[in-house]
Every structure is written in structure tokens, then in C-alpha cells.
Amino acid sequence: YKTVTPEQARTMRAIFKVITTKYPKAELVIAWNQPMLRINGHYVFGASASTKRILMSPWSADVIADFAPKMSDLIVLKKTIGVPNDWNVDSKLLLSLVKARLAEIK
């Protein structure tokens, strides 16, 4: 298993804090050995750490595709969004991704 660096841990805690502050019903769970947020039994956001970056996912390729133009400074793949380990957390982006995911699963 890869060890998460202190810098990655700080960034990931900040990411999850932004989301859980806005969505207090979000349940933080560990799935596939990664932290994930669930709301009403649906996964709405997850993150994992690799050596060079943190990968985030709103659990929707469609949501990622919709927001890709707003994330030109990040590494946007089909199912994940890569951010630097020391990312200055973009609260507006995170909350927009979760809001879009929630709209998708309703």
C-alpha cells in the first residue's frame, strides 16, 4: 500500500471538509481502500493519492465532461480529476461537482 504524505492528507482533509460542511448528511466511508462520500446510499465523491497527485472523482464521467472546460489547469481524465498534492482547494468547483452529481442521481 502507498503511504499518503502529510501534504496529501492535509489537502484531502480540506477537500472533504468543504463538501461535508455544505452537505452534513454526507457519510464518509472507506471503499476500495479510499475515502468516499455517500449521500442516501449513492457515492457522490471520492479521492485517492498517487505519488505525484491526488485524484478526485464525482463518480460520473458525464459530470467530469461537463466541468472539463472549467478545469483546464487540472489533469482531467474520463473518470478522475488530478490535482497537485498541495492544491489550493477550490471550494466552488468541489461543491459544483457534488451538486451536479446529486442532480444526476435523483
Side-chain angles (χ1 to χ4, degrees):
Y1 292 98
K2 184 201 174 301
T3 303
V4 176
T5 67
E7 184 176 51
Q8 289 172 321
R10 272 191 304 277
T11 302
M12 290 174 80
R13 275 194 294 274
I15 288 168
F16 285 108
K17 183 176 181 180
V18 164
I19 298 168
T20 56
T21 298
K22 173 72 174 176
Y23 298 98
K25 291 185 179 183
E27 175 187 15
L28 182 60
V29 298
I30 301 297
W32 302 279
N33 289 328
Q34 306 299 331
M36 306 286 170
L37 289 175
R38 273 193 318 215
I39 295 176
N40 297 328
H42 295 277
Y43 289 107
V44 296
F45 198 85
S48 65
S50 65
T51 305
K52 296 182 179 181
R53 66 189 55 90
I54 294 168
L55 296 174
M56 308 183 305
S57 176
W59 282 88
S60 170
D62 291 338
V63 170
I64 291 173
D66 290 346
F67 283 85
K70 297 178 182 179
M71 301 185 291
S72 59
D73 57 330
L74 304 175
I75 300 168
V76 180
L77 303 174
K78 188 173 184 175
K79 296 185 179 186
T80 60
I81 303 153
V83 298
N85 291 332
D86 63 349
W87 187 48
N88 185 10
V89 176
D90 183 342
S91 301
K92 187 176 178 182
L93 172 65
L94 291 174
L95 295 175
S96 295
L97 289 168
V98 172
K99 183 178 179 182
R101 172 66 176 141
L102 288 170
E104 186 179 78
I105 59 177
K106 285 189 177 183

